Structure formats: structure tokens, C-alpha cells
Amino acid sequence: MPQYPFTPSQYFDFYWYFAAERQNIFFKRVMEENFPWTDDHILQKYKFTNTYRATDRVSQFLIRDVIYTKKSFTSEDIFLRIILFKIFNKIATWKLLLSEFTILDNNHFNISRFDELLTDTLKKGDKIFSPAYIMPSGCKNPGAARKHTNCLLVLGKMLDENLPEKIQKADSLKQVFELLRNYPMIGNFLAYQFAIDINYSEITNFSENDFVVPGPGAIRGIKKCILNTNGMTYDDIISWIVEHQEEEFTCRSLSFKTLWGRKLHKIDCQNIFCEIDKYLRAHSPALNIKTTRIKQLFRPNKQPIDFFFPPKWHISLKS
């Protein structure tokens, strides 16, 4: 095994195993093989995101149906569409808004009408937010009674302050993150996730390896996989993982299939740490103090995905 700048724990191997096995499952599903796709009972039972963030169903919908649509939109429109979709992060909510307002762009963005529709939806008992990550309520700022109303008000504030133009002029992915982080209800984790989502579009064009913000789940995963960071930051560790991915798979005799030639980037490696935290809850429950179970069970979604990636990535699905 190689010499590490940190001290790995006995669970560090699981990081690489999970990345490879979850990617194997992804390709078996793409090839329409039959469930269970793996002999790993934990991966069979519980829901885990894909190894590559951009291949998850919600990210694919964002890229294909929100950003790169057949209709032509301005950069300001694309920004609005991305943030509007991501604050709810739920395909059904987007389709609900689209069915009612037909076109979702700056000219058709009406906070009061959107708010009324979403409020009525909640009164019917339907959920409008995804459980994937939790938007803060923002009850003190902007100050509305309902969370979705505050989200719409924050989006309106972004547009009023010409945030799309500022982001388009940004010099780095980190600067995009910082611009987003200035707004109410958007902490470090969401600002980073939104920056990555915006970077799928043509508004910005930065490498996903330029910058990373580990979320709470990723930090828990790092702590389980690494006994002593030896002074390295969590960002440093994720950067090291990205740089040494090929040799780490090779030294464990793991055959890792890249995303049609695209290697793991920092956003993917950050997500894998989050998922390995969940995986180890089931595999080694003694590791956990407060979080001892995985909330979401796996339920196969038989609706196929027509995979599409940002054209600037130059991914050929035939390769």
C-alpha cells in the first residue's frame, strides 16, 4: 500500500470499494440488467447516490430539462431556472410550476402567484421539497411564515441585485460560491451545491476540481475513514483523493469504470465521503454515536434516463 500524508483507518478501503461497486451498479442499470446488480446486501437494501453526482436522476433532470432545453433562454433565465429548481430539488415541484405557468423565466417569474400555487399544494398534503438536503426555514430573514415563500423572496432578491451578471463575471468557482453565500438561507453547503449546478450551464466554465466545500455528511465520512489528518484540512484530503484515485483503485485490484472517460472530480469525491458515512452506519453501527440508521430504503425506479451531460465536458456515451 502507498504511503499516505494522513493516517487511514481500517475503513478507508471501504471508500474505494463503495466508489467502484456503486459505479458498477450504475452501468449495470444503464445496460438494463436485472436487479439486484450487486451481491452487497447493504447496497441492495438502502438508497445511495451514484458515484458521479451528475448521473443522479435529479441532476440529470436539471441538466437536460432545466438547463439545456430546446427553447432558447438568456443567462439570466437559466440562472433563475437553476435556482428555482434547486431550492426545491424536486422534479414533481418543477413540473407543477411548469404545468401552471408554461414558461419559467424572468418574464414569467411572479412570486405571489408561485407562492399561492405552492401553498395550495401544501394544503393538499403534497410535499414540495426534496428530503435530499434541507433548506433552512428563513423565518427571521426574509421573514415570511412559510419556508417556500422565503425561498422565492430570496430568489427575487438575487434577481433584483443582478446576481446572474455578477456570477457570469466571476473569476473562479470559489467566487461564485461566495456570491451565493451572501444570501439569506444559503449556508456553505448549499452555496457550494448551487455553484456546481450553475457550473453545469454555460453561465460559468470552471473545473470542478478548482474548489470544494465538504458538507456535514462528507466530514463524518472523512472522520470514519481517516484516523489522523496530520494537519491536512478536509479540502486537502478530498484534493488528495482526486489526485491519487487511479493508483488507489489499482493497489486494491478494483476495476473502476470512469464516466465514459471522465475521472472523479472533487464534487464526486466529496459526495462519496457522504455516502460512505451512510454505508458504514449499516456495516459498522458501532462507529455511530447519533446517526445509527439510514433513512431511505432503495426502491427501483423503472423509468429510464436518457443520459445527457454538459456539452463542454465532451463526453461521448458511445466510448
Side-chain angles (χ1 to χ4, degrees), residues 52-224:
Y52 285 85
R53 180 186 191 265
T55 61
D56 282 324
R57 189 173 294 274
V58 173
S59 291
Q60 276 294 299
F61 186 88
L62 169 72
I63 295 168
R64 185 186 57 250
D65 295 283
V66 176
I67 299 174
Y68 293 99
T69 66
K70 294 180 181 179
K71 181 177 174 57
S72 178
F73 290 104
T74 66
S75 296
E76 291 76 13
D77 292 333
I78 294 295
F79 172 86
L80 177 142
R81 289 169 64 85
I82 291 170
I83 302 302
L84 180 61
F85 176 76
K86 289 300 296 185
I87 57 180
F88 300 103
N89 206 34
K90 192 175 180 67
I91 295 172
T93 302
W94 178 264
K95 289 183 175 180
L96 171 69
L97 291 168
L98 193 61
S99 67
E100 182 72 18
F101 301 105
T102 309
I103 299 175
L104 297 177
D105 61 11
N106 277 270
N107 291 330
H108 297 82
F109 179 57
N110 186 303
I111 293 177
S112 61
R113 291 182 63 201
F114 281 33
D115 181 36
E116 183 179 0
L117 173 64
L118 295 171
T119 300
D120 289 344
T121 302
L122 285 172
K123 289 179 179 178
K124 294 175 184 176
D126 296 329
K127 295 180 179 179
I128 60 174
F129 287 95
S130 165
Y133 52 72
I134 300 173
M135 285 285 296
S137 65
C139 290
K140 293 183 179 179
N141 191 358
R146 292 184 178 271
K147 179 166 69 172
H148 70 270
T149 310
N150 286 315
C151 290
L152 295 173
L153 290 170
V154 169
L155 178 51
K157 179 178 174 65
M158 291 176 173
L159 298 174
D160 289 343
E161 296 179 355
N162 299 316
L163 182 59
E165 182 180 352
K166 294 175 184 177
I167 286 177
Q168 201 165 23
K169 294 179 179 179
D171 295 326
S172 65
L173 191 60
K174 182 179 181 180
Q175 189 177 357
V176 175
F177 159 82
E178 290 170 344
L179 287 167
L180 290 162
R181 182 65 182 84
N182 287 330
Y183 284 85
M185 303 177 69
I186 301 180
N188 288 342
F189 178 74
L190 282 182
Y192 175 58
Q193 296 294 318
F194 288 177
I196 292 293
D197 293 317
I198 291 168
N199 200 53
Y200 286 152
S201 74
E202 299 297 329
I203 296 174
T204 59
N205 187 22
F206 303 113
S207 169
E208 290 185 346
N209 282 335
D210 287 350
F211 179 66
V212 66
V213 177
I219 292 172
R220 289 195 300 267
I222 291 172
K223 288 180 177 178
K224 289 177 181 178

Side-chain angles (χ1 to χ4, degrees), residues 301-315:
N301 188 328
K302 296 182 179 180
Q303 185 175 355
I305 300 176
D306 182 16
F307 286 97
F308 178 82
F309 300 98
K312 58 189 173 183
W313 287 6
H314 304 293
I315 288 181

Side-chain angles (χ1 to χ4, degrees), residues 8-15 224-225 276 280 283-284 287:
S9 76
Q10 61 180 309
Y11 302 103
F12 187 54
D13 287 343
F14 281 95
Y15 180 91
K224 289 177 181 178
C225 291
I276 202 62
L280 289 172
H283 183 276
S284 303
L287 275 173

